[in-house]
Amino acid sequence: QHSAMGGLIDISSSVNGNRGYILGGAVGSAPGPGTNKIESIIINTLGNASEFGDLTTSDHRSGFGSSNSTKSIVAGGGNPSNINVISCMINNSLGSAHDFGDLTASTRRGSAVSNDTRCVFGGGLTPSKANTIQYITIASTGNATDFGDLTQARQFCAGVSSSTRGVVSGGNSSPTSPTDVMDYITISSTGNATDFGDMTTIFDDSGFMGVSNSLRGVWSGICAPSNGTRSTIMEYITISTTGDTLDFGDLTVATNFGMASSDGHGGLS
């Protein structure tokens, strides 16, 4: 209570840069109906997911998820027919997604990458397993270039990254068996992947999601290989140190075939 009081200060949220989102997917008994549910986690704090909002459609199952520091994008998918819809939500602002635009083609089960300005969707459903790693320079348009090889040929993998390292986990290896293997690459230099460790729980051959900030990667969307039962389990790694996954917490609903994004943006630039 004196002169010059009454100014304003900004207090930075400890959550900014650390929140991950699990977007849509499939629930119930396999193959199960699609869901439009959005769940969120705090990547640097172990714990269960919480409800965040809803997507514009439940048809984004097996679509593409990507983000920058302020916005998350979900595109494509199929439930059961492939769609070209792109939906958008504002990170760190509880609420539902809204329509963003359309892809040039209806597709699902591809991959997405982004920096803080541009998001790129690539690939899609194909019957061939491969060990190929390809890369692009996000800021400039052009075709992909060979980067190296994974330690084993597989499909339906899920990835996380920091600003220096990318980690690929799980997937369906030859002939049809799910694998618990994790590989990593150093993003700044081309070359083959190196063994990182193993998943504590074997994720089924498809349908799981990876989300990360610059320090930690979290995977969810486990589906038991033995009977196809979906699980709420989430597991995590510290990206800078190799080793096996550890328990993170649980989703609010057993889900797989969803997408993932984060405001931490994986440290990419």
Side-chain angles (χ1 to χ4, degrees):
Q1 299 294 323
H2 57 78
S3 62
M5 290 186 70
L8 299 174
I9 61 172
D10 291 324
I11 302 175
S12 298
S13 168
S14 61
V15 173
N16 287 344
N18 293 315
R19 192 184 291 272
Y21 305 95
I22 311 302
L23 306 145
V27 296
S29 300
T35 177
N36 66 348
K37 181 187 290 291
I38 303 171
E39 302 182 51
S40 71
I41 60 172
I42 307 303
I43 299 175
N44 280 347
T45 305
L46 302 184
N48 297 332
S50 58
E51 292 192 18
F52 188 89
D54 295 317
L55 295 172
T56 60
T57 174
S58 62
D59 292 340
H60 278 305
R61 183 172 64 183
S62 300
F64 310 78
S66 195
S67 61
N68 63 12
S69 55
T70 60
K71 186 178 292 185
S72 289
I73 298 290
V74 179
N79 186 27
S81 300
N82 293 346
I83 63 173
N84 66 351
V85 175
I86 305 175
S87 301
C88 167
M89 65 172 228
I90 305 302
N91 299 334
N92 295 319
S93 178
L94 291 175
S96 298
H98 60 271
D99 184 68
F100 185 91
D102 294 323
L103 295 172
T104 58
S106 298
T107 188
R108 61 190 170 101
R109 288 192 180 179
S111 298
V113 295
S114 61
N115 59 18
D116 210 43
T117 346
R118 174 177 285 177
C119 175
V120 182
F121 307 105
L125 188 62
T126 174
S128 302
K129 300 175 182 70
N131 66 350
T132 303
I133 307 171
Q134 300 179 42
Y135 76 94
I136 59 171
T137 301
I138 298 174
S140 58
T141 58
N143 296 335
T145 303
D146 183 68
F147 186 95
D149 295 325
L150 296 172
T151 60
Q152 59 182 228
R154 46 185 148 151
Q155 62 183 357
F156 306 137
C157 311
V160 297
S161 73
S162 67
S163 57
T164 56
R165 177 179 283 183
V167 184
V168 177
S169 69
N172 186 347
S173 62
S174 181
T176 57
S177 301
T179 178
D180 61 359
V181 171
M182 293 186 288
D183 294 345
Y184 77 92
I185 57 168
T186 301
I187 297 173
S188 62
S189 57
T190 58
N192 295 335
T194 303
D195 183 71
F196 185 94
D198 295 325
M199 307 293 294
T200 302
T201 305
I202 295 180
F203 286 44
D204 195 9
D205 60 357
S206 61
F208 66 107
M209 303 84 76
V211 63
S212 58
N213 61 12
S214 59
L215 302 175
R216 177 180 284 177
V218 183
W219 282 283
S220 62
I222 295 174
C223 191
S226 59
N227 58 15
T229 302
R230 295 185 172 95
S231 172
T232 60
I233 292 173
M234 292 185 285
E235 297 181 2
Y236 79 96
I237 58 168
T238 300
I239 298 174
S240 62
T241 58
T242 57
D244 298 342
T245 58
L246 298 170
D247 182 67
F248 184 89
D250 293 310
L251 297 171
T252 63
V253 177
T255 309
N256 69 341
F257 291 108
M259 292 70 61
S261 67
S262 76
D263 64 358
H265 201 53
L268 297 176
S269 60

